[in-house]
Amino acid sequence: MSILDKAVVASIPLIPKRLVRFFADPYIAGERLSDAVDTVKLLNRQGIMATVDVLGESVTRPEETSAPFKRYLQVIKAIDEEKLDANISIKPTQMGLGLDPEFCFENYRKIISQLEKYDNFVRVDMEDSPYTTLTLDLHDKLKSTYAKVGVVIQAYMRRSMRDLEERLILAKANIRLCKGIYVEPQEIAYKDYGVVRRNYVRLLEKALKAGMYVGIATHDEMLIWEAYRIIEELQLSPEQYEFQMLLGVTEKLRTQIVKDGHRMRVYVPFGKDWYAYSTRRLKENPQVAGYVFKDIFNLNQS
Ligand SMILES: Cc1cc2nc3c(=O)[nH]c(=O)nc-3n(C[C@H](O)[C@H](O)[C@H](O)COP(=O)(O)OP(=O)(O)OC[C@H]3O[C@@H](n4cnc5c(N)ncnc54)[C@H](O)[C@@H]3O)c2cc1C
């Protein structure tokens, strides 16, 4: 952790909420559903697809799943009514995975029964390691009832190649491949930046060679270069994969990828839980705090 990152993280609790909101603004569509709809419309006009996320995670009581559950039903309806090119991403602990996997499955099932009407897709986000196996199990169970379900695989996890080879390829899963945002112990996660990158490339190559649909989720130009190389070598058509980025991050690189003829999807988080989301993300990954700081003071090149 650089001194700059450490300083930013240490100062997070001291930052007034209004200021955090100001910092977080480029990365969050807003608090209302209409904010998310407007953001998606803007992206769609630029030829970019979206995945909408209702902010919130780690509920501690079953009743707390009810508000985000209803919100997701409204999102699904809005996507259809407003003719948006978008799907949804849901965090399992927001739907109660930490309380009871069966209860969580039922919540997803009910959301999927709405999604089915519009033939749309849901991504099961991946959270920290206590939930990895439970999330893959949840994905498999959902996939056996509805085809348009996908999951996420994190390149920093030592187990990911095994998960890919032993279950995801066999299930012909639709995956999002990312580095991983949570802080995990060295016994289960690679800590070296270069190793995580190399593992990302290995996983991507394996998944694409196996004919899987991959959401290539990264802002790392080196990985994007590697993805271009693999796509060219395998002579894939743009319908066989997509690039994915977070709202407000590396927008010039995002535009370049679209110009190069690749499909791009942007993760659009919205909702009232923005404070917890913003501060937790910053604390979990101090590097992100550094990017935000650099962005604010225009120190980032991309
Ligand atoms: C669409 C999408 C969905 C994701 N879903 C999950 C998930 O389900 N589970 C999970 O664990 N992780 C998820 N992530 C986060 C991911 O795991 C990484 O933590 C994140 O993408 C940063 O890694 P990177 O590959 O972009 O590389 P980095 O090396 O972290 O970043 C490369 C460059 O991108 C820029 N950058 C990256 N992040 C930011 C930021 N927040 N603000 C400003 N600039 C930034 C910087 O310029 C940096 O130099 C998701 C990421 C994306 C894009």
Side-chain angles (χ1 to χ4, degrees), residues 27 125-127 152 154 156 176 178-182 193 217-220 223 244-246 249-250 265 267 285 287-288 291-292 295 300 302:
Y27 310 104
D125 281 344
M126 184 60 80
E127 299 174 90
V152 180
Q154 296 156 321
Y156 66 16
R176 171 194 297 149
C178 64
K179 282 182 185 163
I181 186 87
Y182 302 87
Y193 188 71
T218 183
H219 318 89
D220 184 337
L223 293 184
Q244 297 187 352
M245 287 189 174
L246 299 172
V249 178
T250 58
R265 187 179 302 277
Y267 194 92
N285 191 344
Q287 263 190 322
V288 171
Y291 304 148
V292 173
D295 266 359
N300 268 346
S302 49

Side-chain angles (χ1 to χ4, degrees), residues 24-29 39 43 46 48-53 55 89 91 123 125-126 152 176-182 200 215-220 224 242-255 257 264-270 277-278 281-282 284-285 287-289 291-292 295 302:
D25 201 52
Y27 310 104
I28 291 164
T39 302
L43 289 164
Q46 297 164 22
I48 296 171
M49 308 174 288
T51 186
V52 180
D53 167 67
L55 287 169
S89 290
K91 288 196 169 39
R123 173 83 55 198
D125 281 344
M126 184 60 80
V152 180
R176 171 194 297 149
L177 177 60
C178 64
K179 282 182 185 163
I181 186 87
Y182 302 87
Y200 191 107
I216 308 165
T218 183
H219 318 89
D220 184 337
I224 291 163
E242 65 189 41
F243 285 89
Q244 297 187 352
M245 287 189 174
L246 299 172
L247 186 67
V249 178
T250 58
E251 291 181 3
K252 285 182 193 157
L253 186 53
R254 182 176 93 188
T255 307
I257 293 171
M264 170 65 70
R265 187 179 302 277
V266 166
Y267 194 92
V268 176
F270 85 100
Y277 173 84
S278 312
R281 282 293 158 291
L282 293 176
E284 270 163 0
N285 191 344
Q287 263 190 322
V288 171
Y291 304 148
V292 173
D295 266 359
S302 49

Side-chain angles (χ1 to χ4, degrees), residues 128-197:
D128 44 341
S129 56
Y131 303 109
T132 311
T133 301
L134 289 172
T135 301
L136 293 174
D137 291 346
L138 172 69
H139 163 265
D140 288 357
K141 211 167 156 193
L142 291 169
K143 182 115 176 136
S144 68
T145 67
Y146 185 58
K148 293 194 166 181
V149 180
V151 72
V152 180
I153 192 153
Q154 296 156 321
Y156 66 16
M157 292 293 282
R158 293 177 191 271
R159 59 178 284 172
S160 287
M161 184 55 88
R162 207 174 54 244
D163 288 332
L164 185 68
E165 287 177 336
E166 290 177 8
R167 56 193 297 179
L168 294 168
I169 289 179
L170 300 179
K172 291 198 187 315
N174 176 321
I175 58 163
R176 171 194 297 149
L177 177 60
C178 64
K179 282 182 185 163
I181 186 87
Y182 302 87
V183 177
E184 299 289 357
Q186 183 139 36
E187 301 84 65
I188 60 168
Y190 301 115
K191 290 288 173 187
D192 183 272
Y193 188 71
V195 174
V196 175
R197 271 178 158 175

Side-chain angles (χ1 to χ4, degrees), residues 201 204-205 208 226-235:
V201 177
L204 180 62
E205 201 148 19
L208 288 175
E226 288 281 3
Y228 275 30
R229 176 187 63 76
I230 299 167
I231 288 163
E232 199 181 308
E233 270 172 29
L234 298 178
Q235 301 191 332

Side-chain angles (χ1 to χ4, degrees), residues 37-152:
V37 169
D38 289 348
T39 302
V40 174
K41 279 186 179 166
L42 202 68
L43 289 164
N44 285 175
R45 278 203 290 275
Q46 297 164 22
I48 296 171
M49 308 174 288
T51 186
V52 180
D53 167 67
V54 176
L55 287 169
E57 55 204 82
S58 303
V59 298
T60 52
R61 289 174 301 137
E63 309 86 84
E64 289 169 35
T65 62
S66 139
F69 172 82
K70 286 186 193 140
R71 211 52 169 154
Y72 269 112
L73 298 188
Q74 291 166 350
V75 172
I76 293 166
K77 206 156 163 261
I79 290 175
D80 179 67
E81 282 172 1
E82 303 281 347
K83 301 197 184 343
L84 304 178
D85 193 348
N87 59 36
I88 56 171
S89 290
I90 310 180
K91 288 196 169 39
T93 64
Q94 186 183 30
M95 290 297 145
L97 187 66
L99 303 175
D100 173 9
E102 194 53 39
F103 172 69
C104 175
F105 170 75
E106 280 310 318
N107 276 332
Y108 271 86
R109 254 315 295 160
K110 285 185 215 147
I111 291 174
I112 281 175
S113 68
Q114 285 301 304
L115 214 55
E116 266 175 324
K117 292 185 190 158
Y118 308 108
D119 195 31
N120 207 340
F121 175 90
V122 57
R123 173 83 55 198
V124 183
D125 281 344
M126 184 60 80
E127 299 174 90
D128 44 341
S129 56
Y131 303 109
T132 311
T133 301
L134 289 172
T135 301
L136 293 174
D137 291 346
L138 172 69
H139 163 265
D140 288 357
K141 211 167 156 193
L142 291 169
K143 182 115 176 136
S144 68
T145 67
Y146 185 58
K148 293 194 166 181
V149 180
V151 72
V152 180

